[in-house]
Amino acid sequence: NSDIIVTKKRDNYLEWPDYFMAVAFLSAQRSKDPSSQVGACIVNQDNKIVGIGYNGMPNGCDDDLLPWSRCAENKLDTKYPYVCHAELNAIMNKNSADVKGCSMYVALFPCNECAKLIIQAGLKEVIYLSDKYHHTPEMTASRRLLSMAGVHFRQYQPKTTEIVINFNSINGLGTANGTIQ
């Protein structure tokens, strides 16, 4: 019968790795850091998100009273002694008993301090997008620690350069299938 219309599923949907990295990047948009917005997303073996975080000042600390500078004569006038990294926040914000055996998707390769947290929390894998600080001592120490502890790490290879979120698409406005470009 030629009157039957067959509807097929979409083939341009987000695959799991793209979805989780996009969640990390969306979370990063909450960061108030003027120079680096980093997000992290922790996922369990069932592809369920169990923790999300972004870089920012500790809870209860007024981020208007703390510095956001990258450099100053006195290190206490920079953000570094104060800011919590996305990885720490994702682990602390976990919504499960623990994150043992989980994977973390994160925008930047984790520093040595975050590597220690990742190891102690029992994460098994880190998937990162950028390794722009690769040659710093902190990243060398991080790779050494993660390797010794058996935590796998790999660079994420995106299938696309951007994912557009169109709030109008639910109402049929804009392009319905234009979410991935």
Side-chain angles (χ1 to χ4, degrees), residues 45-65:
Q45 298 88 331
D46 297 322
N47 286 326
K48 302 284 188 271
I49 295 172
V50 295
I52 298 174
Y54 55 89
N55 58 318
M57 297 301 178
N59 293 335
C61 297
D62 189 338
D63 53 28
D64 289 322
L65 301 178

Side-chain angles (χ1 to χ4, degrees), residues 42 91 98-102 115-123:
I42 301 173
I91 291 168
D98 61 52
V99 292
K100 191 174 177 77
C102 291
K116 291 186 263 186
L117 292 166
I118 288 165
I119 292 164
Q120 295 300 81
L123 289 160

Side-chain angles (χ1 to χ4, degrees), residues 1-7:
N1 188 339
S2 62
D3 293 340
I4 297 173
I5 298 172
V6 177
T7 302

Side-chain angles (χ1 to χ4, degrees), residues 10 61 71 115 121:
R10 287 176 53 224
C61 297
C71 53

Side-chain angles (χ1 to χ4, degrees), residues 93-168:
N93 293 340
K94 70 183 183 303
N95 61 13
S96 59
D98 61 52
V99 292
K100 191 174 177 77
C102 291
S103 298
M104 177 181 282
Y105 287 78
V106 63
L108 275 177
F109 188 83
C111 72
N112 60 310
E113 292 298 320
C114 290
K116 291 186 263 186
L117 292 166
I118 288 165
I119 292 164
Q120 295 300 81
L123 289 160
K124 69 167 180 83
E125 182 181 33
V126 174
I127 302 100
Y128 61 92
L129 185 73
S130 173
D131 193 12
K132 67 180 178 178
Y133 301 114
H134 180 86
H135 296 296
T136 64
E138 292 80 7
M139 300 310 157
T140 301
S142 178
R143 287 190 301 277
R144 184 181 295 170
L145 288 169
L146 293 171
S147 295
M148 287 177 80
V151 177
H152 301 287
F153 52 90
R154 60 184 167 86
Q155 191 162 26
Y156 172 72
Q157 301 298 330
K159 291 193 168 43
T160 181
T161 57
E162 68 178 21
I163 295 170
V164 177
I165 298 173
N166 179 353
F167 288 127
N168 286 322

